[in-house]
Amino acid sequence: MSSYSTIETTKQVLLSAFENNLPVLPEVRAKGLEYVDFLGDSSEPLIPIVLKAHESFAALKALEGIIAVALCKERFGLDQDLKASVNCNHAALFPAMSFLSTADDLPKWNPEMRKKIVDTDLNHVYSNVYRRMLTNIYRTKEGRFYHLHASLNATPTLEALGLPPYDEERNEYQAAQKVIAEHTQQLTTDELEAIIRTIKEAGSPCLTREEFLATSHGKHISSKPLFELDQLESTSPPLKLSPDGPNILSGVKILDLTRVIAGPVITRTLAEYGAQVLRVTSRNLPDQSYYAVDFNFGKRTINLDLKSQEGRQAFENLLEDVDVIVDGYRPGAIAKLGYGPNDLLKRFAGKRGFVYVKESCYGEGGEWSDRSGPGWQQISDSVSGVSWANGKALGLEEPVPPPFPLADFGAGELGCIATLNALHHRLTKGGSYFTSISLVKYNDWLMSLGSYSEPLWNSMVTAHGQDIRKLRHNSNFDRVGLAAISSIQRLYSHLWNEPDFLHEAAKTPFGAVKTQSPVVRIEPYKTATRGWLNVTRPAGYDHPPKWS
């Protein structure tokens, strides 16, 4: 397969991103590839999936760099030939970050890691095998497949299925799956879907690409660009940022209202550009706290209860200086508290502009956009056809979850790009902007890129086979991810030891942390050490609630 080039395919993928009405300013569209250099060519993609995930992340990182360079030129008035540098192999490791990061050399799945983090698993989903195993693909009565999800509280779905919320006798992987499977196989796919929609929890039938595109939502999503941009008002003056910098987003203040993966990835990446990121969480809300080890780099973190008068007052004080709000909660949740984009438009009228970033599973508009249940990466994979594509490529007549949270990291990267783009509009034209991204749109785009050729895929399966051939529809998220990371480390161990790929923080509240360094390099305006203002920390670490 020596004739294959991941860089050349990445360039084609990048061009495809521009073709579907990408809402960028003319300079970005005109310059495109002139603003980025690619490194790290490979004759075979790193990620063991038949879809072009490797190239999709390299292309998105390049798009991030292109818009960042344009923003940099606008801010600093630069005329020189400034370029972003993207190593495609480094970019391919981006969605594997949480499997590669360590604290005192411990990976996140090591039981000792629990001693290092603040426990935010309030509903015992991730510490209880039986409850955790709800998140899996299960067969239904007619032999189809449905992806259930424990979300951040497994109780509503377990009880709706007629199962006890806790079952301490089934504390082993297969035993827990077996009892859940016995119940799903008594229901048709439509019956199971009706249950999930009624209780407003997470779940989806496993659809093929063709089935997804036949739905009204599939048609809607496939007609949309990778991210959307709406101008909320045009009277606010252009954003003023100091020409002294030193980084591209120095002085930009971002409120991070997100949990789990996709949303925190957005703000972690924006923090690489020197932005002041303040992550707001609540002690009353569950989360997957082990992700804080890698996703909280560059951030200050505070706890606020936005349903209390004290919490609301502190939050509103922070709003007085905010430039960007990133919202990763269920559709309408933040608006119900009075802090949605229309509320902020009224609050800031005649004062200044802002950017509101909405990350969701299903996206804006379309039949499924107002689903009040939580959206998760696994649900996006199932509904969009990714899981079926993966299973069939492995020679199976069943869907198999893809390696790594591709849709989460894909949507997170799109959120970073969309934010940089909206800030470029603010810096250039003024006004306020609403920009949105979704997990389903990333997957729709990934599927649209097509599969690897049969010879290339056969070569990849031969190389990765001992780790990925054992996977089946009921291989849960962790097992699929661990199989893929085991394979990548076996085949490409030298990559994770590349100094440019690895960031080490010797002193953090978690201990000595090793994580992925920023993929996009724009010298001298963006580097890991100059960009990140803070080392990683647990949720609610900083007091009192202020920007710095």
Side-chain angles (χ1 to χ4, degrees):
M1 292 298 106
S2 59
S3 62
Y4 186 81
S5 166
T6 51
I7 285 182
E8 290 307 312
T9 306
T10 293
K11 291 177 181 178
Q12 296 170 18
V13 169
L14 176 59
L15 290 173
S16 79
F18 281 100
E19 290 172 357
N20 193 16
N21 299 318
L22 202 66
V24 296
L25 290 172
E27 177 191 358
V28 174
R29 186 173 297 279
K31 296 294 183 179
L33 293 177
E34 294 180 27
Y35 281 175
V36 63
D37 284 330
F38 295 96
L39 306 169
D41 204 2
S42 175
S43 60
E44 285 192 1
L46 271 61
I47 304 175
I49 186 172
V50 74
L51 303 173
K52 296 172 184 172
H54 178 129
E55 295 83 357
S56 78
F57 282 99
L60 291 182
K61 283 296 180 184
L63 182 55
E64 173 195 322
I66 289 168
I67 296 177
V69 166
L71 201 159
C72 186
K73 285 175 172 283
E74 186 69 30
R75 174 173 186 170
F76 297 116
L78 302 173
D79 294 324
Q80 70 258 40
D81 187 21
L82 187 67
K83 285 195 175 187
S85 175
V86 173
N87 186 301
C88 294
N89 289 330
H90 192 183
L93 293 176
F94 180 64
M97 183 189 301
S98 57
F99 287 91
L100 290 168
S101 297
T102 60
D104 292 332
D105 293 324
L106 297 174
K108 73 176 181 68
W109 57 86
N110 189 299
E112 291 296 309
M113 182 66 85
R114 293 179 187 173
K115 299 176 183 178
K116 296 181 176 295
I117 61 177
V118 176
D119 185 8
T120 57
D121 185 17
L122 305 184
N123 297 309
H124 313 293
V125 173
Y126 299 96
S127 59
N128 183 290
V129 172
Y130 166 71
R131 289 166 70 79
R132 185 177 179 84
M133 284 306 107
L134 183 63
T135 301
N136 268 300
I137 295 174
Y138 288 98
R139 288 186 187 271
T140 60
K141 187 175 183 178
E142 74 271 44
R144 294 180 64 192
F145 297 90
Y146 193 96
H147 206 311
L148 293 170
H149 203 290
S151 192
L152 294 171
N153 184 6
T155 296
T157 301
L158 287 169
E159 290 185 337
L161 292 174
L163 287 159
Y166 291 87
D167 189 339
E168 299 306 329
E169 293 183 3
R170 292 176 172 83
N171 58 5
E172 189 272 329
Y173 184 99
Q174 291 182 332
Q177 282 194 343
K178 183 174 183 291
V179 69
I180 298 171
E182 288 171 353
H183 281 67
T184 64
Q185 289 177 32
Q186 296 174 23
L187 299 166
T188 66
T189 302
D190 288 346
E191 289 170 338
L192 193 50
E193 175 74 344
I195 289 172
I196 296 301
R197 298 280 75 81
T198 298
I199 63 175
K200 299 180 180 179
E201 287 298 323
S204 169
C206 293
L207 304 180
T208 64
R209 169 73 170 164
E210 293 72 24
E211 289 171 333
F212 171 68
L213 291 178
T215 68
S216 63
H217 198 77
K219 293 173 183 174
H220 170 79
I221 286 293
S222 64
S223 70
K224 296 295 182 179
L226 281 172
F227 57 86
E228 298 188 65
L229 181 71
D230 296 316
Q231 186 165 14
L232 298 173
E233 54 86 14
S234 59
T235 58
S236 297
L239 177 65
K240 297 295 184 183
L241 295 173
S242 169
D244 295 329
N247 299 117
I248 298 172
L249 294 187
S250 293
V252 173
K253 294 180 178 178
I254 300 174
L255 280 174
D256 175 347
L257 310 179
T258 69
R259 289 187 289 180
V260 194
I261 300 180
V265 167
I266 297 173
T267 47
R268 193 240 200 210
T269 313
L270 291 169
E272 296 172 11
Y273 288 88
Q276 287 180 258
V277 178
L278 188 58
R279 189 175 183 194
V280 181
T281 53
S282 170
R283 293 187 182 91
N284 302 324
L285 296 175
D287 199 356
Q288 294 180 351
S289 51
Y290 44 75
Y291 287 124
V293 172
D294 34 47
F295 294 161
N296 278 356
F297 267 96
K299 307 176 186 181
R300 284 172 52 84
T301 64
I302 61 171
N303 279 323
L304 290 179
D305 179 2
L306 296 188
K307 293 183 179 180
S308 73
Q309 185 59 39
E310 181 183 3
R312 291 176 67 86
Q313 184 59 58
F315 185 71
E316 290 175 13
N317 289 341
L318 295 169
L319 282 177
E320 291 302 309
D321 295 314
V322 76
D323 294 296
V324 179
I325 300 94
V326 182
D327 171 7
Y329 282 80
R330 293 189 188 202
I334 300 299
K336 286 181 181 178
L337 295 171
Y339 304 118
N342 291 329
D343 302 302
L344 297 183
L345 196 60
K346 295 175 184 176
R347 178 183 292 269
F348 297 145
K351 299 178 182 178
R352 58 188 175 84
F354 65 95
V355 172
Y356 196 102
V357 184
K358 179 59 186 162
E359 172 266 314
S360 65
C361 180
Y362 298 107
E364 298 295 310
E367 182 184 358
W368 302 341
S369 63
D370 61 350
R371 285 185 171 179
S372 54
W376 291 81
Q377 166 252 325
Q378 296 97 326
I379 305 309
S380 171
D381 296 335
S382 293
V383 77
S384 64
V386 169
S387 294
W388 259 117
N390 191 38
K392 288 182 176 179
L394 293 172
L396 304 171
E397 286 303 317
E398 56 187 290
V400 175
F404 312 132
L406 300 178
D408 268 327
F409 275 85
E413 179 60 19
L414 284 173
C416 170
I417 295 166
T419 306
L420 291 171
N421 181 63
L423 286 170
H424 189 214
H425 278 70
R426 273 196 71 192
L427 201 65
T428 306
K429 300 168 55 178
S432 295
Y433 298 86
F434 175 84
T435 189
S436 61
I437 51 91
S438 72
L439 281 71
V440 168
K441 181 59 203 181
Y442 168 78
N443 273 342
D444 169 70
W445 179 61
L446 177 63
M447 292 289 291
S448 75
L449 300 176
S451 301
Y452 295 124
S453 69
E454 187 174 349
L456 176 57
W457 175 239
N458 287 341
S459 177
M460 292 170 65
V461 170
T462 298
H464 292 275
Q466 69 185 59
D467 294 295
I468 65 173
R469 282 195 177 279
K470 59 189 176 186
L471 301 175
R472 293 295 183 269
H473 71 272
N474 58 353
S475 299
N476 80 334
F477 172 83
D478 285 337
R479 287 204 169 186
V480 175
L482 289 172
I485 206 65
S486 173
S487 184
I488 289 173
Q489 289 180 321
R490 174 172 54 83
L491 296 171
Y492 309 106
S493 59
H494 63 285
L495 291 179
W496 186 232
N497 295 319
E498 287 279 345
D500 285 348
F501 291 12
L502 184 65
H503 179 81
E504 298 186 54
K507 294 181 180 180
T508 83
F510 302 112
V513 172
K514 296 177 183 177
T515 189
Q516 191 178 41
S517 62
V519 176
V520 177
R521 306 296 171 93
I522 304 173
E523 301 291 352
Y525 301 98
K526 179 196 181 241
T527 66
T529 52
R530 291 189 64 194
W532 282 325
L533 301 179
N534 301 292
V535 297
T536 186
R537 60 200 60 201
Y541 184 80
D542 296 292
H543 305 280
K546 60 180 184 177
W547 283 106
S548 59

